Amino acid sequence: MSDLNTASPTEIAAAGVSSALARAIALWQPYRCWDDLLLVSEIDQIVIDQLRQGGFEIGKPNDGAWVVPQPFKLSAD
């Protein structure tokens, strides 16, 4: 089994999803559960089943990977 939270787009695409979708999945890592993937555009239960059959699991994400957004100010320059 491979952890979807640490998989590269190439590894994800090897499960049978398109390269573009694999990049989107990797972009939004980490996931806490399979339902989190449903928030990614074009992901449905069929894609989730493909990933599971491709040997992926969702491990507990590293809490350090969850970055709290920092406030910022736009410059008028």
Side-chain angles (χ1 to χ4, degrees):
M1 289 276 186
S2 297
D3 187 351
L4 188 62
N5 285 327
T6 59
S8 70
T10 304
E11 294 169 326
I12 296 169
V17 299
S18 71
S19 296
L21 194 52
R23 286 191 302 272
I25 292 168
L27 177 69
W28 292 104
Q29 293 166 331
Y31 302 100
R32 295 212 178 255
C33 65
W34 288 106
D35 288 341
D36 285 355
L37 272 105
L38 296 173
L39 299 173
V40 178
S41 180
E42 299 184 29
I43 299 272
D44 57 14
Q45 192 60 47
I46 294 169
V47 173
I48 291 174
D49 291 343
Q50 265 184 300
L51 292 168
R52 285 181 165 168
Q53 290 172 2
F56 284 102
E57 64 183 4
I58 293 182
K60 182 175 171 32
N62 176 355
D63 285 336
W66 292 89
V67 179
V68 176
Q70 298 297 315
F72 66 92
K73 183 177 180 180
L74 294 176
S75 172
D77 296 345

